[in-house]
Amino acid sequence: MTRWSTLLLDDASLAQMPELPVDDVLRHADVVTAQRMKPQALYERWEKQQWSAQAIDLERDRVDYEKRLPRSARKALEESIATFIIGEYTGLDLLAPILTGAPEEIDHLYLGTQIADETRHTQLMLRLGEEVLGLDPDPKRMLVQAWNLCTPPHRALSRLETEIIREVQERPADYETWLRTVALFHLISEGVLALVGQRAIVQSLHEVPLLPGVKAGFTAMCRDESRHVSFGLHALRQGVREGHADAIRDVIEQATPLALAIEEGGDVKDSGTGATMRSLGIASLRRQLRLIGIDEKFADHVVGLTERAAPAGGH
C-alpha cells in the first residue's frame, strides 16, 4: 500500500491532488527521504513533477473563506498562509547564495530546480494572499501585512536565516559555512517548519468539502518539499561523514527552539495520534537527525532545549 500510494502522489496531476488519500500525502516525504536519493535522481523527479501555480482556480476558495468557514477557522487559515507568504518568499530570496556556495556541479543543477520551486510557491502564496485573504495585491505591501501577522518566534527565525545566509555570502567557498546554511534552511525551515505546516493544512482540510484550490496547492507543495528535504539530508549526511557534525549541530541548536516555538501555537490535530504540530515537528526533527547520522543523545538535548523554551513561545 505504501509503495502504490507513493507512486500515486508522485504521478498525480494538480486536478487529482485534492482527492488523494490524506494519510498517503502525510507520509509521502518520509517515504521519499528514506530512499536517500542523490541530487541527479532528485533533478529527474523534478522534471516529471511540474505544476502551475497559475492553473489553480481560487474562485470557490474565496467564497468558502468569506462565507462558509467559521471565524476561528478563518483566523487559523489566515495565520498559516501569512507564515507561508513570508517563508516561501524568504526561501526564494535566500537560496541563491546556497546555490553559489554548493560544493559540486550536480548540486548546482539540483538547486536551480529548487529556486524554480520556491518561485512557484511564492507565486501561489501571493495569489492566496490576494484572492482568498483579500490582502494588498502589491507583493511588497502584502509581505509587510503578512510579517505583521507572524509570531515573534517566526520573525526571530527569519532573522537568524538572514544572518546565516550573510555568512555564506561572505565566504561562498567555505564548505562548513555552506553546511550550516543547509542545516538551517533545508532541515529546519523546510523539513521541520514548512513540511509540518503543509501537512497540517492538508490534514485540517481532510473530508472538508471546502477550499479545493488551497488543498491542491498545499498537496503539490508537500510533494515538492520531499525533494527539497531529501537534498538537504543528502548534503548533511555527507558533511557529517566528512567531520563537520559539530558545525551542523551548532546551527540546529540555535534554530530548533525558534522553529518549535512557532509550531507550539498550532492547534491542528492529527486524527490518528492526537499529536499537536509541535510534537509532529519534534518527530520530524528526530527522524531527520537519524537520517544524517547525528546521534539520539543530541536529539534529546535539542528537544530538551525546546521544552524549556516553550513557556516563552510566541503567544
Side-chain angles (χ1 to χ4, degrees):
M1 181 62 182
T2 299
R3 178 172 172 79
W4 166 248
S5 299
T6 299
L7 291 174
L8 183 64
L9 179 53
D10 280 349
D11 297 333
S13 69
L14 199 57
Q16 293 170 325
M17 287 187 176
E19 307 306 321
L20 294 175
V22 67
D23 289 343
D24 302 322
V25 175
L26 299 182
R27 66 171 176 251
H28 177 260
D30 294 343
V31 174
V32 173
T33 54
Q35 296 175 37
R36 303 192 177 203
M37 282 180 276
K38 294 184 178 180
Q40 179 63 35
L42 296 171
Y43 175 88
E44 291 169 6
R45 287 174 70 84
W46 175 81
E47 283 201 339
K48 297 174 183 176
Q49 295 178 339
Q50 297 302 301
W51 57 279
S52 168
Q54 292 298 108
I56 297 176
D57 184 355
L58 295 176
E59 184 175 350
R60 181 179 154 191
D61 294 68
R62 176 67 173 176
V63 175
D64 288 345
Y65 176 77
E66 291 183 338
K67 299 183 177 180
R68 300 190 179 104
L69 279 183
R71 183 181 298 273
S72 60
R74 284 202 305 271
K75 185 175 186 299
L77 184 65
E78 179 185 59
E79 291 176 352
S80 293
I81 291 176
T83 297
F84 275 99
I85 289 171
I86 296 299
E88 297 300 338
Y89 180 80
T90 299
L92 175 59
D93 193 37
L94 300 183
L95 258 175
I98 298 177
L99 183 150
T100 301
E104 302 289 344
E105 286 74 11
I106 189 59
D107 297 334
H108 281 248
L109 292 175
Y110 165 75
L111 286 165
T113 73
Q114 188 171 341
I115 290 175
D117 285 344
E118 301 297 350
T119 304
R120 178 169 49 207
H121 296 179
T122 300
Q123 178 65 26
L124 177 60
M125 291 305 107
L126 294 175
R127 288 194 64 208
L128 292 178
E130 176 185 355
E131 298 174 41
V132 178
L133 303 186
L135 298 180
D136 195 302
D138 180 82
K140 185 177 291 187
R141 291 194 289 269
M142 187 192 294
L143 285 163
V144 173
Q145 291 176 317
W147 181 260
N148 290 333
L149 290 169
C150 291
T151 63
H154 187 276
R155 297 178 192 177
L157 184 64
S158 294
R159 292 188 184 103
L160 178 60
E161 286 177 332
T162 301
E163 292 172 10
I164 297 293
I165 285 290
R166 188 175 294 119
E167 293 177 9
V168 81
Q169 286 175 319
E170 293 171 353
R171 298 189 296 276
D174 188 304
Y175 179 49
E176 194 162 272
T177 298
W178 184 80
L179 286 171
R180 284 169 51 82
T181 310
V182 170
L184 176 57
F185 193 83
H186 287 79
L187 193 150
I188 299 297
S189 294
E190 301 267 44
V192 175
L193 264 184
L195 190 58
V196 171
Q198 290 159 2
R199 285 168 162 174
I201 290 174
V202 172
Q203 173 69 37
S204 67
L205 295 176
H206 177 51
E207 295 183 349
V208 176
L210 302 173
L211 302 165
V214 172
K215 191 182 299 184
F218 275 93
T219 301
M221 287 168 64
C222 281
R223 185 172 70 182
D224 290 349
E225 216 70 64
S226 72
R227 297 192 304 271
H228 304 174
V229 176
S230 291
F231 173 79
L233 297 182
H234 162 78
L236 295 172
R237 190 159 47 241
Q238 187 166 311
V240 168
R241 285 199 301 264
E242 294 177 6
H244 301 283
D246 286 346
I248 294 168
R249 290 190 190 98
D250 176 68
V251 73
I252 291 172
E253 191 174 53
Q254 292 180 63
T256 299
L258 297 173
L260 295 181
I262 295 168
E263 290 175 341
E264 177 70 15
D267 60 0
V268 177
K269 304 291 183 179
D270 177 274
S271 59
T273 64
T276 64
M277 285 177 65
R278 178 184 172 83
S279 63
L280 292 172
I282 290 172
S284 182
L285 173 70
R286 287 184 176 279
R287 184 177 182 281
Q288 291 182 68
L289 291 176
R290 286 196 298 272
L291 284 171
I292 67 173
I294 289 184
D295 59 83
E296 192 73 19
K297 184 176 179 181
F298 176 75
D300 292 340
H301 164 68
V302 174
V303 171
L305 290 177
T306 70
E307 290 170 348
R308 291 193 291 275
H315 300 290

